[in-house]
Amino acid sequence: MVSSSNWSHYIFSSLFAVLILIVPCFSEKAPYSTFAKDATSAPEVVFFDYIVIGGGTSGCALAATLSQGSNVLLLERGGLPYGNPNITNITGFANNLADTSPSSPAQLFISTDGVFNHRGRVLGGGSAVNAGFFSRASKGYVKKMGWDQKVVNEAYEWVEKKVAFQPQIKQWQSAVRNGLVEVGVKPYNGFTYEHLFGTKVGGTIFDPQGHRHTAADLLEYADPTKITVYLYATVQQIMFKKEGGRKPRAYGVRFLDSEGNSHMAYLNEGSKNEVVLSAGALGSPQMLMLSGIGPAKQLKAHGIYILVDQPMVGKGMSDNPMNAVFVPSPHPVEVSLIQVVGITGFKSYIEAASGPLELDWMRRIAHDFKRIANQTMDPLKVPSEMQFPKGIPGINPHLLHSPMQAGLILEKVAGPYSTGFLQLKSKDPNENPKVTFNYFKDPRDLQRCVQGMKTIAEVIESRSFSKFRYPYTSAQSLMDTMLTFPINLRPRHLSASISLEQFCIDTVMTIWHYHGGCQVGKVVDRNYRVFGVDGLRVIDGSTFIYSPGTNPQATVMMLGRYMGQKILKDRLAGGRK
């Protein structure tokens, strides 16, 4: 005989399954003309069950899922990714990052470490500006996070149906793949989304025609009658109320449209209704601080009312360091971003990209970046003039002044162990906060980089890769050339040409996998609820202590879906109070 509690659980589970299954009947294709609107069209006051701040990699998946059982408002400070060829086409990747205009979808910021970085300012977030690699977190990572592996797999599959593809592996990527296997990064695991030691072909969010599919595409899962997306909506502050001796509770947000008009979005009555921050590793800790949750001394310095003295907000900031070798090719190479990865036993990931390249274009971009750095950063010890390679052994120097065929082989340090911090620069949410990543502060990260660079050198000099290496050009000479490229604003040291440790420190770049600032166990609990307040969660990469897998975007999208389902399930089980 079935007990009443088991019967109730059965009925609830059945209802939840039906709720999820019927949603595709109400879907709308991008660009969502019925529910994605410019914030200038928003009323002065609106009411919703959930308010999601940030339509990025996690926020789109989360909002789409929540709309399957509640009314949802998604606020995004950028515009749509559709119609911009630099976003939608693989050939526009570099141009997108080079766009330093005030409305660029790839907003430039430069860490105090002197490293160029970007944050998404567009619906789809980082997935609209990245290199597209799609790979799941390891089973061990999922277990450590306390996630349910079965539900995680289902959430990954939900994402993959919309945005993930098997890449077409051509000559350059094949040479890197075969070179990795030749030098011992084994076994070869073929094509898989799974995180497996050895060499593999991963997924990509670029389809066979080279068109990008971002997290914004996941809004095709949304119920268009229960979701509203306001674009060019910049959230100023999360609003809280205090009742008696209870913790402050979020009840709404204030946001501005592109014309500077103020709007209020309030939560409907009900204890299950919440504000969710999905503004990313820079935006989420920044918004907590602007709303009065953060280190008291820092908030006081900016004249911000201290709602909760939370010293861990903005702490634990990390960026996986990337170092690379530029490899000119004597033969034409395909346009490719990240497709192949070597997952080594020493916790460094080896990847590659290729295509025609104009070095003069790189020079112009570097000078533009430096100009912006001088305007926005504290003074950095940088060369007064950007250097540039005068020659590479074995290569005609005239090639350096014309478009050339080339590729990049890079390594990313897993983890990392090194951490830094984020601080407010002002009360303006449009201004990037000041962030320090402390690259290679922990010697274990530096050792992983050294081993990774040694592996790259072996791949370059392998038989499998020989077709794409000029005769008499060594891996060492290519590394020496990297020291003359304007890839960051860090000082160069003479010892970097003979010391891989110094080479790693001097030529460090980002792979755009920065995370932290609102970490689980420090700022949020395991259900991503913010400590010290009610009605507020943070669900994005700012909650990570370590970056998941070889690329975090698949897991960040998955997390939005995973937590959206969990929140809806709790809502349906508990009812509205």
Side-chain angles (χ1 to χ4, degrees):
M1 192 174 197
V2 181
S3 68
S4 59
S5 60
N6 286 340
W7 179 252
S8 298
H9 177 76
Y10 172 77
I11 292 294
F12 158 67
S13 298
S14 299
L15 286 172
F16 185 71
V18 170
L19 176 71
I20 298 301
L21 286 173
I22 64 173
V23 168
C25 299
F26 303 101
S27 64
E28 180 179 325
K29 296 294 183 182
Y32 318 118
S33 59
T34 68
F35 63 80
K37 309 168 185 178
D38 192 296
T40 54
S41 68
E44 287 187 19
V45 176
V46 290
F47 292 84
F48 289 87
D49 298 332
Y50 293 97
I51 302 169
V52 179
I53 302 172
T57 315
S58 175
C60 287
L62 175 68
T65 302
L66 291 175
S67 76
Q68 296 166 5
S70 55
N71 293 312
V72 180
L73 173 63
L74 177 61
L75 298 171
E76 167 53 43
R77 68 194 184 110
L80 291 170
Y82 311 107
N84 182 339
N86 287 341
I87 293 176
T88 56
N89 297 329
I90 193 170
T91 54
F93 169 71
N95 290 331
N96 205 15
L97 296 181
D99 180 1
T100 56
S101 67
S103 60
S104 171
Q107 184 181 12
L108 174 70
F109 73 93
I110 306 170
S111 73
T112 63
D113 315 274
V115 174
F116 304 123
N117 214 317
H118 300 82
R119 61 189 291 210
R121 181 167 46 191
V122 60
L123 192 69
S127 68
V129 300
N130 65 16
F133 196 56
F134 191 98
S135 186
R136 297 183 180 188
S138 68
K139 299 289 193 296
Y141 188 96
V142 170
K143 184 176 181 180
K144 184 177 291 187
M145 294 299 292
W147 298 331
D148 183 309
Q149 184 69 65
K150 180 176 180 296
V151 182
V152 163
N153 290 344
E154 291 170 350
Y156 274 128
E157 291 167 4
W158 180 87
V159 171
E160 288 157 8
K161 287 176 183 177
K162 287 289 183 184
V163 305
F165 304 86
Q166 180 175 350
Q168 299 173 328
I169 303 299
K170 296 182 180 178
Q171 291 190 356
W172 169 271
Q173 293 284 341
S174 294
V176 174
R177 176 196 63 196
N178 296 341
L180 283 166
V181 175
E182 181 182 330
V183 304
V185 186
K186 298 177 179 177
Y188 175 57
N189 295 304
F191 167 70
T192 178
Y193 294 132
E194 299 297 335
H195 186 90
L196 303 172
F197 283 107
T199 297
K200 74 165 190 172
V201 175
T204 178
I205 61 175
F206 290 97
D207 66 24
Q209 288 72 46
H211 298 150
R212 182 192 294 269
H213 294 260
T214 77
D217 291 10
L218 299 176
L219 291 171
E220 292 186 357
Y221 283 121
D223 182 340
T225 67
K226 292 185 177 180
I227 188 170
T228 297
V229 178
Y230 285 134
L231 304 167
Y232 305 108
T234 303
V235 174
Q236 304 294 297
Q237 186 180 20
I238 303 168
M239 312 300 291
F240 294 88
K241 60 183 175 183
K242 288 185 176 181
E243 294 179 350
R246 297 179 182 177
K247 291 187 291 186
R249 182 173 187 84
Y251 71 90
V253 305
R254 182 170 65 88
F255 65 95
L256 300 183
D257 62 32
S258 58
E259 296 178 355
N261 300 311
S262 182
H263 305 260
M264 288 298 304
Y266 293 109
L267 293 176
N268 287 322
E269 288 294 325
S271 62
K272 297 292 182 179
N273 299 333
E274 296 177 309
V275 174
V276 186
L277 254 177
S278 295
L282 264 65
S284 288
Q286 179 186 30
M287 185 49 57
L288 285 182
M289 292 185 195
L290 293 177
S291 303
I293 303 172
K297 184 177 180 181
Q298 191 177 154
L299 300 186
K300 186 177 180 180
H302 289 281
I304 298 172
Y305 171 76
I306 301 167
L307 184 75
V308 178
D309 179 10
Q310 172 46 289
M312 297 311 296
V313 173
K315 297 292 174 53
M317 294 296 300
S318 294
D319 187 24
N320 298 81
M322 179 184 86
N323 293 80
V325 178
F326 171 74
V327 187
S329 170
H331 298 284
V333 297
E334 70 269 18
V335 175
S336 71
L337 295 178
I338 311 302
Q339 297 178 342
V340 169
V341 61
I343 301 176
T344 69
F346 52 83
K347 301 295 178 67
S348 177
Y349 307 138
I350 315 297
E351 303 171 355
S354 62
L357 182 67
E358 293 186 40
L359 296 187
D360 283 340
W361 171 85
M362 288 182 62
R363 190 202 313 268
R364 292 195 302 272
I365 296 308
H367 280 284
D368 201 18
F369 282 5
K370 185 185 177 186
R371 174 183 58 79
I372 293 174
N374 289 335
Q375 293 173 352
T376 61
M377 293 287 299
D378 294 332
L380 289 165
K381 293 181 179 179
V382 298
S384 58
E385 292 295 331
M386 289 290 190
Q387 300 179 23
F388 224 72
K390 295 181 175 63
I392 303 174
I395 300 175
N396 185 330
H398 294 295
L399 288 174
L400 299 177
H401 301 285
S402 60
M404 64 187 305
Q405 300 291 320
L408 200 70
I409 304 180
L410 61 92
E411 69 86 30
K412 165 194 168 179
V413 172
Y417 288 109
S418 304
T419 63
F421 53 90
L422 176 149
Q423 296 173 309
L424 288 180
K425 290 185 71 176
S426 75
K427 294 169 68 173
D428 182 359
N430 287 305
E431 185 172 12
N432 282 323
K434 180 179 177 180
V435 61
T436 300
F437 291 119
N438 287 326
Y439 297 101
F440 302 123
K441 183 178 181 180
D442 191 301
R444 290 173 292 183
D445 293 332
L446 188 57
Q447 188 55 42
R448 287 176 176 180
C449 177
V450 168
Q451 290 178 282
M453 295 312 300
K454 287 179 178 177
T455 303
I456 288 176
E458 291 174 356
V459 170
I460 291 172
E461 296 180 351
S462 69
R463 179 184 55 79
S464 300
F465 193 75
S466 59
K467 176 182 176 181
F468 296 104
R469 183 182 67 249
Y470 275 94
Y472 312 113
T473 300
S474 66
Q476 182 62 55
S477 67
L478 295 173
M479 288 188 191
D480 290 344
T481 302
M482 288 299 297
L483 291 165
T484 68
F485 276 115
I487 53 179
N488 60 33
L489 298 178
R490 295 164 73 88
R492 301 288 191 268
H493 299 82
L494 291 175
S495 59
S497 62
I498 56 174
S499 164
L500 281 178
E501 286 85 357
Q502 194 63 55
F503 175 88
C504 286
I505 292 169
D506 287 3
T507 66
V508 66
M509 295 176 281
T510 185
I511 197 166
W512 305 284
H513 296 171
Y514 56 93
H515 53 279
C518 299
Q519 293 176 320
V520 171
K522 299 177 181 179
V523 176
V524 299
D525 65 19
R526 289 210 170 240
N527 287 310
Y528 301 90
R529 296 187 178 98
V530 176
F531 291 132
V533 298
D534 286 328
L536 178 64
R537 303 192 202 221
V538 179
I539 300 176
D540 59 26
S542 70
T543 63
F544 295 158
I545 295 175
Y546 298 112
S547 183
T550 55
N551 187 300
Q553 77 165 334
T555 303
V556 176
M557 290 189 221
M558 179 281 296
L559 180 62
R561 170 63 174 176
Y562 181 92
M563 284 306 301
Q565 286 187 293
K566 190 169 184 178
I567 292 169
L568 276 189
K569 199 170 184 178
D570 178 62
R571 183 184 191 88
L572 190 57
R576 299 183 68 177
K577 297 178 183 178

